Amino acid sequence: LHRARSKWMQTRTATINTVRGLLRELGVFIPVGAKKVVPLVHGYIGDAQSECPDALRPVLMTMCEEIRALEQSINEAEAQLKALAKELPMVAQLLTIPGIGLITATALVAFVGDARRFKNARRFASYQGLTPKENSSGGRRRLGRISKQGNSYLRHLLIRGARSMLRAAKTKTQPDRLRSWALDKAASRGPHKGTAAVANKLARIAWAIWTKNTQYRSEAVAA
């Protein structure tokens, strides 16, 4: 179900980009955002006074119908995942972690199976390719970029979740301990490395929650 949803989303994105590219050549610029594309394109090709070539109108209409069909398939897949989540207690526990939503939680359960097969949190994060490469010399330990070896789909979801958590953390006047740590990492390492570090942290927390069969509990920053 996750693989199908991911494929549908990739196809939808590619189709939307093609539509926007075709219209851009005609001097028509469609704002970014999947929900805006189909209504705006329908309005453009439905306007008899627009400069859209007649031969292109049915092509654009067909592409809009394809986008709508893909969106329906995506929505149906997410509805099935919601129903499945209610039957899996571990999904509910993972959902207590900031930055981990329904798609990420169900994907972790689906692809990992049982987190206890990983000896520790670092190995669990390594399975997602989120552990940094190490380059040590002369007694000095240097950590580079994340390895990107492992399950790329889970890594993508966790990094997206890390970005979401960072955006939300910036809006809070008093972020908790985890969000404060995440903001510090983003500030000290830059947006890309900082986000990867936060994604790594989320994976480690997920392993701890999973193996201890508990829920995430927010902690206030020490005064």
Side-chain angles (χ1 to χ4, degrees):
L1 191 57
H2 273 279
R3 295 183 190 279
R5 176 185 174 277
S6 178
K7 183 178 180 180
W8 291 329
M9 291 192 70
Q10 290 174 3
T11 304
R12 182 189 65 171
T13 299
T15 306
I16 287 174
N17 288 339
T18 299
V19 170
R20 295 180 75 242
L22 287 171
L23 292 177
R24 192 182 303 115
E25 293 182 3
L26 298 173
V28 179
F29 296 90
I30 302 295
V32 176
K35 294 181 179 180
K36 301 176 182 178
V37 174
V38 173
L40 290 174
V41 174
H42 274 164
Y44 176 67
I45 61 180
D47 182 1
Q49 303 301 319
S50 69
E51 298 180 359
C52 181
D54 291 339
L56 189 58
R57 292 177 192 268
V59 175
L60 290 172
M61 180 62 73
T62 298
M63 296 179 79
C64 285
E65 291 173 355
E66 290 176 357
I67 293 170
R68 281 275 170 83
L70 288 165
E71 288 176 343
Q72 183 177 351
S73 296
I74 292 168
N75 291 335
E76 290 174 354
E78 292 180 357
Q80 292 179 46
L81 288 173
K82 287 180 181 179
L84 180 62
K86 295 179 181 179
E87 302 176 6
L88 299 172
M90 181 46 60
V91 172
Q93 292 173 324
L94 291 173
L95 285 172
T96 63
I97 304 171
I100 292 186
L102 174 69
I103 303 303
T104 304
T106 53
L108 284 169
V109 173
F111 286 94
V112 173
D114 188 351
R116 289 174 295 183
R117 66 190 178 94
F118 296 94
K119 185 177 180 180
N120 52 44
R122 189 181 192 283
R123 291 189 179 182
F124 183 73
S126 179
Y127 173 71
Q128 275 79 243
L130 291 168
T131 52
K133 294 180 179 179
E134 183 174 340
N135 299 309
S136 302
S137 61
R140 298 186 63 182
R141 184 170 179 250
R142 297 184 179 89
L143 297 178
R145 296 181 177 180
I146 56 175
S147 67
K148 292 188 178 181
Q149 296 176 349
N151 193 306
S152 60
Y153 179 61
L154 291 180
R155 181 172 62 253
H156 166 75
L157 291 176
L158 287 165
I159 287 178
R160 191 174 68 179
R163 290 197 187 102
S164 176
M165 192 187 79
L166 282 166
R167 286 195 299 269
K170 292 176 182 178
T171 66
K172 295 185 178 295
T173 54
Q174 291 183 323
D176 62 10
R177 184 177 178 183
L178 174 60
R179 292 178 175 85
S180 293
W181 177 89
L183 290 172
D184 288 342
K185 285 295 180 183
S188 62
R189 295 190 180 184
H192 298 298
K193 288 185 177 180
T195 300
V198 175
N200 181 301
K201 184 74 169 180
L202 294 181
R204 290 171 181 250
I205 293 174
W207 179 86
I209 294 297
W210 202 332
T211 55
K212 294 177 182 179
N213 193 27
T214 185
Q215 295 185 353
Y216 175 81
R217 290 178 174 80
S218 177
E219 297 180 10
V221 178

